[in-house]
Amino acid sequence: MIPPQEASARRREIEDKLKQEEETLSFIRDSLEKSDQLTKNMVSILSSFESRLMKLENSIIPVHKQTENLQRLQENVEKTLSCLDHVISYYHVASDTEKIIKEGPTGRLEEYLGSMAKIQKAVEYFQDNSPDSPELNKVKLLFERGKEALESEFRSLMTRHSKVVSPVLILDLVSGDDDLEAQEDVALEHLPESVLQDVIRISRWLVEYGRNQDFMNVYYQIRSSQLDRSIKGLKEHFHKSSSSSGVPYSPAIPNKRKDTPTKKPVKRPGRDDMLDVETDAYIHCVSAFVKLAQSEYQLLADIIPEHHQKKTFDSLIQDALDGLMLEGENIVSAARKAIVRHDFSTVLTVFPILRHLKQTKPEFDQVLQGTAASTKNKLPGLITSMETIGAKALEDFADNIKNDPDKEYNMPKDGTVHELTSNAILFLQQLLDFQETAGAMLASQETSSSATSYSSEFSKRLLSTYICKVLGNLQLNLLSKSKVYEDPALSAIFLHNNYNYILKSLEKSELIQLVAVTQKTAERSYREHIEQQIQTYQRSWLKVTDYIAEKNLPVFQPGVKGFNDGLEELCKIQKAWAIPDTEQRDRIRQAQKTIVKETYGAFLQKFGSVPFTKNPEKYIKYGVEQVGDMIDRLFDTSA
């Protein structure tokens, strides 16, 4: 049980807490009453504020809307005024720009193009907004006049400033091929820079706004004329220079292939120096065309719109290219006529030209990229014509050597080298300067499949075969010609001289190496032929030495007299014969002198003291040394 004191204390404690809680509750009630009163007051204030705000809003919104409408109206007025000013300005374009358009663009292109831009905009405005107005006709007419003035200015600038390229500058440009530094230094300025920029501006305007392509025709016609005149001027330069100080540059431009001559070319028989000048001039004109055409394309690329460049360039080069091709065909035609006349030295003109055309063809092809097929095919067509006529010349030359008639009046009376032989060898020697070209000519006529892609070895074998054919034909013809001589000894001397001339000529040049490609024994064969003819000649002396041969003795008097008469007759006849080769002449004389002196010396030693007559000097007219001296004077018309 809880003691009474503790229970009493506990009760008082609870009573105190209860009293305290009641006081707290009473405070809360008072606070809530105050809060409610405050809330009621706030609601009353807010309601009043809302009522006032609604009244304010109802008053302001109409004012705001009215202000907004007024601002919009003001903006519209301003825009309208601006548009009116803009429109009115179009009506003033004609009067503002007429003076400038009338005076033209010369010297003030930028200002002029600015005026044309204003006119262009006015035209567009009236077309869109007032197509029936007289103002449209005014600005359209002004625009057309301005466009015509720009076209005229384009033509004027191109005409005034396009100059023919001087021959000296062209030659420097062409000769710069092998010298890269020199090539960089040689630059062609077709138009001054300021003029070029004006021309470019006008062309771009005409394309973009003028919708005009006529200026491109003007461009190619003017530049075409300059290109053609530049090349013709180079040709004339060659003719003038050749008549005063010789050809300005060596022919064919430095050769870069195996066609390079291995020795100084021999002067062609019957060739006129003028013909060589024509050849050199044509070769240089071909190179000049390539260089100038390259330069023309660079200029054109700045001025003509890209999609018109190839066509314009094609038109631009036609006159110059056609001139070159026509001249080339004239060379072919002249060669054809020369073949008919058997003037094969003139046909040789084709060889350096053809060689140069083939060497230049890669550059030609590059320059003509994008041109019409008919343009691209011109050079290959000319090359084919020249290869065909060249092959025809080679074929006819070989036939001519074979069939050259045996005319007595044309035969050398002294048995020297025939003109046919010297001409044939000279022609073959000159082919050495054009081995690849001549080989390609022969290969081009082959019907075998290998002809389309023949190698240099193949063409070299063809050329070797051809040279051997010419030499074979020449040998057959010489044999036939030798029969014209009634004296077998003179016939032998003639064949000896010609065979010896052929052999020596082959050995002095690369011809012997070319012949050896297909005929390795040719050199030995010629030596055997030469020896055979010497032996034939030596038999002519048998009728002299037989008189004093031991087998015919002792018929002294007639024998000695026959020897004397035969010796005198042979020496008289053979003195007029010729052996141009000094070494061979001395050798043949020495051999003959040895044989005759030995026979005559043996005869005198054996029978010189025999008393067969009272007047021995009548029969024994010559001493052994005298006989030798007489033989030493053979083949020498000056003795």
Side-chain angles (χ1 to χ4, degrees):
M1 285 188 62
I2 300 172
Q5 294 88 348
E6 285 184 18
S8 177
R10 180 81 175 158
R11 188 179 296 113
R12 280 194 302 271
E13 184 180 345
I14 291 170
E15 287 174 353
D16 288 340
K17 281 185 180 180
L18 183 61
K19 187 180 180 181
Q20 212 173 19
E21 289 293 332
E22 286 174 352
E23 288 175 357
T24 301
L25 182 62
S26 176
F27 176 77
I28 290 172
R29 279 196 193 101
D30 290 343
S31 294
L32 283 172
E33 286 176 1
K34 288 179 182 178
S35 178
D36 285 343
Q37 186 62 43
L38 286 173
T39 300
K40 287 177 183 178
N41 291 340
M42 181 59 69
V43 168
S44 175
I45 291 168
L46 286 175
S47 297
S48 175
F49 181 76
E50 183 181 9
S51 174
R52 290 178 182 180
L53 188 62
M54 285 180 67
K55 287 179 182 178
L56 180 63
E57 185 177 318
N58 290 333
S59 300
I60 290 298
I61 285 176
V63 173
H64 175 71
K65 285 182 177 178
Q66 189 176 4
T67 303
E68 193 176 57
N69 289 335
L70 287 172
Q71 284 177 336
R72 191 177 296 114
L73 284 172
Q74 185 179 357
E75 286 174 5
N76 289 339
V77 168
E78 288 175 354
K79 285 181 181 179
T80 302
L81 288 172
S82 175
C83 287
L84 282 171
D85 288 341
H86 186 63
V87 168
I88 290 169
S89 71
Y90 288 130
Y91 285 86
H92 289 229
V93 164
S95 57
D96 290 346
T97 60
E98 188 172 12
K99 185 172 182 289
I100 296 173
I101 298 304
K102 185 178 179 181
E103 290 175 354
T106 305
R108 53 173 182 181
L109 183 61
E110 285 301 321
E111 183 185 2
Y112 197 88
L113 290 177
S115 295
M116 289 299 291
K118 291 178 183 177
I119 297 169
Q120 171 77 8
K121 287 178 181 176
V123 169
E124 291 171 356
Y125 171 79
F126 289 120
Q127 281 178 336
D128 292 341
N129 299 283
S130 184
D132 298 325
S133 69
E135 289 299 326
L136 175 59
N137 291 331
K138 281 184 185 178
V139 288
K140 281 180 74 174
L141 184 62
L142 201 56
F143 183 83
E144 288 304 315
R145 283 174 59 189
K147 186 170 77 169
E148 287 172 8
L150 284 169
E151 291 169 0
S152 178
E153 178 71 359
F154 183 90
R155 179 188 291 274
S156 176
L157 288 173
M158 290 300 303
T159 303
R160 285 198 324 250
H161 296 282
S162 289
K163 306 294 183 187
V164 171
V165 184
S166 73
V168 173
L169 186 56
I170 295 174
L171 287 170
D172 286 341
L173 189 70
V174 169
S175 63
D177 270 354
D178 289 340
D179 187 349
L180 293 177
E181 290 182 8
Q183 194 173 16
E184 288 173 4
D185 293 337
V186 180
L188 294 180
E189 186 185 67
H190 294 294
L191 296 172
E193 184 60 29
S194 60
V195 173
L196 175 61
Q197 292 308 317
D198 282 356
V199 167
I200 291 171
R201 288 294 310 278
I202 294 172
S203 74
R204 288 178 181 170
W205 188 93
L206 289 172
V207 170
E208 188 172 353
Y209 302 108
R211 293 175 178 79
N212 175 288
Q213 295 183 7
D214 291 344
F215 78 94
M216 299 181 201
N217 297 332
V218 170
Y219 177 86
Y220 92 69
Q221 287 165 3
I222 292 171
R223 295 308 307 170
S224 174
S225 173
Q226 300 303 329
L227 175 62
D228 195 38
R229 287 169 60 196
S230 296
I231 293 174
K232 285 176 179 173
L234 177 62
K235 186 178 179 183
E236 290 171 11
H237 178 70
F238 266 82
H239 292 159
K240 289 177 184 175
S241 299
S242 66
S243 61
S244 56
S245 59
V247 178
Y249 283 78
S250 59
I253 299 116
N255 299 309
K256 303 174 184 174
R257 303 189 180 180
K258 293 181 181 176
D259 277 350
T260 306
T262 53
K263 54 185 288 186
K264 190 174 181 179
V266 187
K267 176 67 182 168
R268 298 168 186 148
R271 281 293 301 274
D272 192 332
D273 282 343
M274 220 33 228
L275 199 56
D276 290 328
V277 172
E278 289 285 349
T279 302
D280 292 341
Y282 185 72
I283 283 169
H284 279 83
C285 285
V286 168
S287 290
F289 172 81
V290 172
K291 293 298 180 188
L292 292 176
Q294 287 172 341
S295 182
E296 285 293 342
Y297 195 86
Q298 290 170 357
L299 177 67
L300 174 145
D302 288 333
I303 298 171
I304 304 298
E306 187 175 357
H307 55 288
H308 291 284
Q309 288 174 5
K310 297 293 185 183
K311 184 179 178 182
T312 306
F313 180 68
D314 199 339
S315 301
L316 189 157
I317 62 173
Q318 283 306 312
D319 285 351
L321 181 58
D322 285 345
L324 280 180
M325 295 303 109
L326 178 60
E327 196 172 340
E329 289 298 343
N330 288 341
I331 290 167
V332 171
S333 179
R336 192 174 289 112
K337 292 174 184 175
I339 291 172
V340 173
R341 298 193 308 270
H342 293 163
D343 178 13
F344 295 101
S345 61
T346 299
V347 180
L348 284 167
T349 302
V350 171
F351 285 72
I353 291 174
L354 176 58
R355 175 179 65 189
H356 187 64
L357 289 179
K358 293 177 80 171
Q359 288 176 349
T360 313
K361 186 176 179 296
E363 282 187 278
F364 240 100
D365 292 344
Q366 189 175 13
V367 168
L368 300 183
Q369 273 183 351
T371 58
S374 57
T375 303
K376 291 177 184 174
N377 291 335
K378 286 180 180 178
L379 180 66
L382 179 57
I383 287 175
T384 300
S385 294
M386 286 197 170
E387 282 196 325
T388 302
I389 201 66
K392 170 73 172 165
L394 293 174
E395 179 187 345
D396 281 25
F397 178 78
D399 290 343
N400 187 59
I401 294 297
K402 181 179 181 180
N403 301 318
D404 186 69
D406 307 324
K407 297 173 183 175
E408 290 188 34
Y409 65 83
N410 199 33
M411 292 296 290
K413 302 205 181 310
D414 59 0
T416 190
V417 177
H418 197 281
E419 185 182 12
L420 181 70
T421 302
S422 58
N423 285 347
I425 293 299
L426 190 56
F427 185 87
L428 294 180
Q429 284 175 334
Q430 288 175 93
L431 287 186
L432 284 176
D433 294 343
F434 310 101
Q435 291 182 39
E436 285 194 4
T437 304
M441 284 177 176
L442 296 167
S444 71
Q445 304 306 302
E446 289 289 304
T447 55
S448 64
S449 58
S450 61
T452 56
S453 58
Y454 54 85
S455 64
S456 58
E457 189 60 34
F458 174 69
S459 60
K460 189 173 184 180
R461 288 189 68 80
L462 283 178
L463 185 57
S464 174
T465 302
Y466 171 77
I467 291 171
C468 291
K469 177 183 177 182
V470 171
L471 292 174
N473 288 352
L474 178 60
Q475 190 172 335
L476 288 173
N477 199 319
L478 290 172
L479 276 171
S480 177
K481 288 185 187 310
S482 69
K483 295 181 173 63
V484 171
Y485 296 113
E486 295 180 2
D487 190 334
L490 180 55
S491 178
I493 290 297
F494 171 77
L495 289 175
H496 162 273
N497 283 334
N498 282 273
Y499 291 157
N500 184 63
Y501 178 84
I502 293 168
L503 178 60
K504 288 291 176 68
S505 298
L506 293 178
E507 289 176 334
K508 284 178 184 175
S509 66
E510 285 184 16
L511 280 173
I512 195 68
Q513 285 95 326
L514 260 179
V515 168
V517 171
T518 53
Q519 270 194 25
K520 302 200 180 299
T521 61
E523 189 174 357
R524 188 180 70 195
S525 177
Y526 273 112
R527 295 195 188 284
E528 289 173 355
H529 287 316
I530 290 166
E531 289 306 315
Q532 185 181 346
Q533 298 310 318
I534 291 174
Q535 290 171 18
T536 302
Y537 161 75
Q538 287 176 340
R539 283 199 286 274
S540 69
W541 282 84
L542 289 177
K543 60 184 178 183
V544 175
T545 54
D546 271 358
Y547 285 114
I548 55 174
E550 192 169 346
K551 61 182 179 179
N552 294 327
L553 297 175
V555 187
F556 304 120
Q557 294 174 0
V560 179
K561 197 169 187 315
F563 172 80
N564 293 336
D565 292 345
L567 175 67
E568 290 168 357
E569 183 185 1
L570 274 187
C571 286
K572 181 182 178 183
I573 292 171
Q574 295 185 8
K575 178 186 174 186
W577 296 355
I579 299 179
D581 187 324
T582 306
E583 186 182 335
Q584 283 294 97
R585 183 168 67 234
D586 292 343
R587 178 185 163 214
I588 290 171
R589 279 176 180 167
Q590 188 59 44
Q592 200 56 56
K593 187 166 66 172
T594 300
I595 294 169
V596 175
K597 281 176 69 175
E598 282 180 1
T599 306
Y600 187 55
F603 165 76
L604 289 182
Q605 188 176 3
K606 190 169 184 179
F607 300 105
S609 57
V610 175
F612 60 88
T613 177
K614 292 180 180 179
N615 301 306
E617 67 279 357
K618 182 180 176 182
Y619 295 97
I620 303 177
K621 293 171 65 175
Y622 304 106
V624 173
E625 292 307 316
Q626 281 181 293
V627 169
D629 289 343
M630 291 171 73
I631 293 173
D632 273 337
R633 288 193 288 274
L634 299 179
F635 318 117
D636 188 357
T637 53
S638 64

